[in-house]
Amino acid sequence: MKALPELLETGVRDALRHLYGPDASEQEITLQSTRKEFEGEFTVVTFPLTRLAKKKPEVIAEEIGARLKETLEEVKDFNVIKGFLNLVIADRYWMDFLLQSGVREGFGHVAGGKDKVVVEFASPNTNKPLHLGHIRNILLGWSTSKLLEATGHDVVRVQIINNRGIAICKSMLAWQRYGNGAVPEKAGVKADHFVGDYYIKFEQHFQEEYKAWQKSDEAAAILEEKNKKDLSPADFWKGYKNTYFNENSDLGRAAKEMLLRWEDGEPETVALWNRMNDWVYEGFDETYERLGVSFDKNYYESETYLLGKDMIDAGLDKGVFYRKEDGSVFVDLTDAKLDQKAILRADGTSLYITQDLGTARLRYDDFGAKRMVYTVGDEQNYHFQVLFEILKRLEEPYADGLFHLSYGMVDLPTGRMKSREGTVVDADDLMDEVIQEAYQSSLERESTSELSDTERREIIQKIGMAALKFQIIKVGPQKRMIFDPKESVDLQGQTGPYVQNAYVRTRAVWRKAGQRDLSQAAGYTQLEPAERELISLLYAYPGLLNDAAANYDPSMVAMYCYELAKNLHKFWHDVSILGADTEAAVAFRLYLCQAVGNVLKSGMGILGIEMPERM
C-alpha cells in the first residue's frame, strides 16, 4: 500500500497544477494530523498558497478538497475550517491497511540497516546502592536504546562505573573502623546496601567528630579569624564543612591517605577496594536484573581516569589548548559562549573532562560508532556542552554525533533525597513498595482468583514494574517530576496498569472467540467511528517511533500507548465484538483487537514493560 502522506501530497500537487497552473506544483505542501475536535485524519494548511492562487485560504481549501475527492479514491470527504482543509480517509483504505499491514507482528519496527549508536546510562558510584534517581536514568537510557533499535539502529549499551575516588574510600574506611569483619551474607543485607550503609556510617561519625571539634580552641580561633561576614556560628560551620574535612578532620585525613595508597597501588588497600567493589557489583547486577536491563560493556573509572592525556598533548600541538604558567592546561571556549575551562591540573593529574575525552575516543575505537548518547542528569548540562565543543575542535570523527540525554530530578511526595544522610529511596525498596501497591490493588479484583499463587505473583510483579516504569518514562526527560507509588498503580489513570488492562482485553476476547473463520473480515464494509480512530492510531505508530527516536524521547511512546489503550477501552464500550451483527464484523473486530494488542505489546516492550495475559 502506498503511504497516505506521500499519496496525499502527490494529490495536492496535482490539484495545484490543475487549478492554478503548471508552476504551482513547486509550492511547498504543509500536511499535518487533523486536530481531534474536527472530522478527518490529515489536514492541508492552505495559508501559504494565497500568493500563488490569489484567493482566500478558505476558497483555496474548498477547491483543493473538491479536486482531491474527485481524483483520489482514498479521500472520502473533506471539511474546511478557516484555511485548514481536513481530509476524511475512505473506510476501504483503513480496512485494507489493517488486514494487510496492521495485524502483522513486528509492525512499526525496522529490521536494522541504520548507523551504530552507543547509549550510556546508569553509570553509578560504588559507594552506595542504586536509588530513585538512578531508576529514572536507567529506564530512560534503556527505553531510548530500545527505541533506537526498533527504528533500525545498531545499538551498543554501556555504562561507566565510578569505582574510585574519595567517596569509595569513605565506605572502605568506615568498614575498616566500624565493621568488625562483617560481610553481606552473614549480615543478611544485600551487598550494595551493605557497602552503602558504611558510607552513611562514615558521614554519621564525621558529623559527630565535626560537632565535637567545633567546641575546641582550634575551632574558636578559626571562627574568630575567618568569620569576616559575622555569620552565626551555626551558619559559619555549615559553610566550613568541606574545609574542615580537607584541613582539620582526622577522618578526612585518613580517607585521603587511603586514596593516595590506592593510587600508589598499595596491595592491602587495593585488595579491600576490590572486595568492597565486588560486593557492590553483585548488588547492582541483582537490581539491573529486576529492572530488566543489561549492558554490552562496562567501563570503569579506575581504568579510564588517566585517559585523555594524549588527546590533550595533540590539542596543545594543534593550538586547541594552551598551557598556563603553573603548568595547568586550559581551553578557551568564550567564542562558543562558554568559558575558559581547565582540562588538566597544574600537577598533571586528570579532571573529569580529561577522562571523558579519553573515554569518548576509547568507545569509538571499541565500536566505531559515530553517534553516542549520554544519559546524565541536567545538572551536568554545562559539562557536556564543553565536552562536545572540545571534541569538535579536536576534529574527532564522531564529534557531530554526540547527544546529552538530559533529564530532571525525581522527587517523592515527601520531598528531595540526600545520599549521605541515608534519606535516599533505594531502587530495590521502591520496586518492593510499588509491587506491594499492585498486590493491594489486586485484592480488590476477582479476575485472577482461578490462577495459582505462582501465576498470580508473576502477574503482580509485571503490574508493579509496569506501574513504576510507565510512571517515570511518561514524563518528558527534561521535566522534573514527583513519583507517587500509589498513583502509579491506578487502573483508571494514566498508568502502566491501565495500558496493560487494554492489552489483557485484546487477549481475553481472542480466548473467548475460539475457532472462527477470519477470512470473512474482508467482507466488512463500513467502519464505526471508534474503529476508524483505532485504525488511524495504529497507522501512526511507525511515524511516532521515528519521531520519538529522532528526539530521544521515549515519553512519546508511553503517551501513544496510553492514547491507544484509551481508545481501545472506548471501542470496547461502544462496539460489540463477538456479538456483532455479521460474521464479517466479528472477524474484522477480532483482527482489530489483535493489531491493537500487538502494537501495545510492542510499544510497552520498548519501555521495558512486560504485558500479562490476565489481570
Side-chain angles (χ1 to χ4, degrees):
M1 292 181 70
K2 196 169 185 179
L4 272 174
E6 181 185 347
L7 187 150
L8 294 175
E9 186 171 326
T10 300
V12 171
R13 290 193 185 283
D14 289 342
L16 290 175
R17 186 166 51 247
H18 174 80
L19 293 166
Y20 310 121
D23 295 334
S25 60
E26 300 302 316
Q27 181 73 36
E28 185 175 344
I29 307 301
T30 304
L31 189 69
Q32 60 192 32
S33 297
T34 302
R35 290 168 57 178
K36 289 184 178 181
E37 59 263 39
F38 303 121
E39 185 184 11
E41 288 81 33
F42 291 89
T43 296
V44 181
V45 182
T46 62
F47 295 100
L49 305 175
T50 52
R51 179 177 293 182
L52 167 74
K54 306 291 193 292
K55 297 179 179 181
K56 292 181 178 180
E58 297 91 331
V59 176
I60 298 170
E62 289 285 352
E63 291 179 345
I64 295 174
R67 178 67 182 176
L68 291 176
K69 187 175 178 180
E70 177 186 340
T71 58
L72 292 180
E73 63 180 3
E74 291 83 3
V75 177
K76 174 185 177 182
D77 204 352
F78 70 93
N79 61 84
V80 175
I81 307 296
K82 296 184 178 178
F84 297 96
L85 168 60
N86 302 321
L87 302 174
V88 180
I89 304 304
D91 285 0
R92 189 73 261 163
Y93 184 93
W94 292 129
M95 292 172 178
D96 290 345
F97 155 71
L98 178 73
L99 298 177
Q100 294 174 26
S101 303
V103 295
R104 179 173 52 83
E105 200 156 343
F107 167 70
H109 287 232
V110 177
K114 294 186 181 178
D115 51 2
K116 181 174 284 188
V117 187
V118 172
V119 180
E120 175 198 296
F121 59 99
S123 301
N125 300 314
T126 57
N127 62 304
K128 55 191 174 186
L130 302 169
H131 56 64
L132 174 55
H134 288 117
I135 284 186
R136 188 175 198 191
N137 180 303
I138 292 164
L139 297 181
L140 180 58
W142 177 261
S143 55
T144 297
S145 76
K146 296 290 286 184
L147 180 55
L148 291 167
E149 219 165 42
T151 50
H153 298 278
D154 181 6
V155 176
V156 180
R157 300 175 181 88
V158 304
Q159 64 173 329
I160 182 162
I161 298 175
N162 301 305
N163 64 342
R164 61 172 289 275
I166 195 66
I168 285 83
C169 289
K170 289 179 180 180
S171 295
M172 292 163 60
L173 183 66
W175 184 84
Q176 268 189 340
R177 293 195 174 189
Y178 318 118
N180 298 314
V183 295
E185 298 83 1
K186 291 185 178 179
V189 179
K190 187 167 175 279
D192 52 335
H193 289 243
F194 179 83
V195 174
D197 289 345
Y198 283 97
Y199 182 65
I200 295 169
K201 194 176 290 288
F202 178 93
E203 180 68 15
Q204 291 169 343
H205 282 270
F206 172 74
Q207 291 285 7
E208 291 172 5
E209 179 195 82
Y210 189 30
K211 287 178 183 177
W213 176 83
Q214 289 168 23
K215 300 173 182 177
S216 68
D217 293 341
E218 180 185 13
I222 289 172
L223 180 64
E224 183 177 352
E225 176 189 354
K226 297 185 179 291
N227 190 11
K228 306 300 183 185
K229 296 180 180 179
D230 294 325
L231 299 172
S232 68
D235 286 340
F236 176 79
W237 293 129
K238 186 176 180 180
Y240 190 76
K241 181 181 173 183
N242 288 338
T243 304
Y244 169 75
F245 177 85
N246 288 313
E247 296 181 4
N248 311 97
S249 168
D250 290 335
L251 281 171
R253 187 179 306 109
K256 288 187 293 180
E257 287 172 355
M258 179 174 280
L259 179 58
L260 290 173
R261 291 197 301 275
W262 179 86
E263 291 177 349
D264 290 339
E266 194 272 316
E268 185 178 339
T269 302
V270 171
L272 176 59
W273 173 80
N274 278 323
R275 187 183 191 190
M276 295 190 73
N277 276 336
D278 284 345
W279 285 337
V280 176
Y281 302 150
E282 176 189 329
F284 285 171
D285 287 345
E286 289 181 32
T287 306
Y288 291 147
E289 186 175 358
R290 288 188 72 186
L291 286 168
V293 305
S294 59
F295 299 90
D296 298 302
K297 181 162 185 176
N298 294 330
Y299 292 89
Y300 298 91
E301 188 178 345
S302 59
E303 298 170 357
T304 62
Y305 78 104
L306 296 176
L307 294 177
K309 291 188 176 182
D310 290 344
M311 296 174 72
I312 290 174
D313 289 340
L316 284 167
D317 292 340
K318 288 182 179 180
V320 175
F321 308 135
Y322 65 94
R323 194 181 297 275
K324 288 193 170 184
E325 291 183 2
D326 64 359
S328 60
V329 178
F330 274 69
V331 60
D332 186 353
L333 303 177
T334 52
D335 59 338
K337 298 183 179 179
L338 301 169
D339 62 4
Q340 297 184 30
K341 177 72 176 178
I343 55 173
L344 201 66
R345 294 189 183 95
D347 61 4
T349 56
S350 299
L351 298 161
Y352 272 114
I353 196 76
T354 326
Q355 172 184 301
D356 285 348
L357 289 169
T359 303
R361 170 79 67 81
L362 178 61
R363 288 174 181 168
Y364 178 71
D365 292 342
D366 285 345
F367 302 110
K370 292 188 177 180
R371 287 178 63 187
M372 300 183 197
V373 178
Y374 295 79
T375 311
V376 183
D378 57 11
E379 70 275 7
Q380 295 295 326
N381 284 351
Y382 183 77
H383 173 84
F384 283 100
Q385 290 174 358
V386 169
L387 174 65
F388 296 168
E389 181 64 28
I390 292 174
L391 289 168
K392 284 182 181 178
R393 297 188 182 203
L394 291 172
E395 299 178 329
E396 292 293 298
Y398 48 86
D400 290 331
L402 302 173
F403 183 79
H404 175 204
L405 182 48
S406 174
Y407 62 90
M409 291 184 65
V410 188
D411 297 325
L412 292 166
T414 52
R416 294 184 64 178
M417 306 175 294
K418 296 181 181 179
S419 298
R420 288 179 298 185
E421 296 175 14
T423 59
V424 160
V425 175
D426 291 324
D428 303 291
D429 295 340
L430 184 62
M431 285 187 277
D432 290 341
E433 182 178 350
V434 177
I435 290 169
Q436 180 61 27
E437 290 288 349
Y439 171 73
Q440 293 296 330
S441 178
S442 75
L443 296 178
E444 301 169 8
R445 301 187 299 275
E446 298 292 331
S447 55
T448 61
S449 57
E450 77 281 7
L451 301 178
S452 69
D453 288 344
T454 300
E455 289 173 318
R456 197 177 297 112
R457 279 196 298 271
E458 288 177 357
I459 289 172
I460 290 170
Q461 175 82 14
K462 288 179 181 179
I463 294 170
M465 293 307 294
L468 171 63
K469 293 179 179 183
F470 193 91
Q471 198 76 353
I472 286 179
I473 297 172
K474 76 175 185 181
V475 179
Q478 295 185 350
K479 295 180 181 177
R480 190 165 183 154
M481 65 171 292
I482 295 175
F483 179 82
D484 186 341
K486 287 186 180 295
E487 180 184 301
S488 71
V489 298
D490 185 358
L491 272 178
Q492 301 304 317
Q494 201 179 76
T495 66
Y498 177 85
V499 179
Q500 285 178 317
N501 192 41
Y503 174 79
V504 166
R505 280 183 156 175
T506 69
R507 302 300 297 149
V509 74
W510 270 85
R511 285 195 300 271
K512 191 174 180 180
Q515 296 296 318
R516 296 272 179 162
D517 179 12
L518 298 180
S519 64
Q520 296 192 52
Y524 191 52
T525 57
Q526 185 172 351
L527 293 176
E528 296 290 335
E531 293 171 324
R532 288 180 63 86
E533 186 66 28
L534 271 179
I535 297 172
S536 63
L537 269 173
L538 291 172
Y539 187 86
Y541 183 56
L544 178 281
L545 292 184
N546 285 325
D547 289 346
N551 289 284
Y552 302 99
D553 187 357
S555 73
M556 296 171 66
V557 180
M559 295 315 299
Y560 170 86
C561 289
Y562 170 72
E563 286 298 321
L564 186 59
K566 186 169 69 172
N567 278 274
L568 185 280
H569 289 310
K570 184 177 186 301
F571 163 78
W572 194 270
H573 179 269
D574 292 353
V575 176
S576 178
I577 300 173
L578 299 181
D581 294 337
T582 66
E583 279 300 311
V586 172
F588 185 84
R589 289 168 186 174
L590 282 171
Y591 271 133
L592 180 52
C593 286
Q594 180 183 4
V596 171
N598 287 346
V599 169
L600 286 175
K601 188 173 183 179
S602 165
M604 295 290 271
I606 287 170
L607 308 182
I609 295 172
E610 294 182 87
M611 303 298 263
E613 293 292 311
R614 300 171 186 269
M615 286 181 71

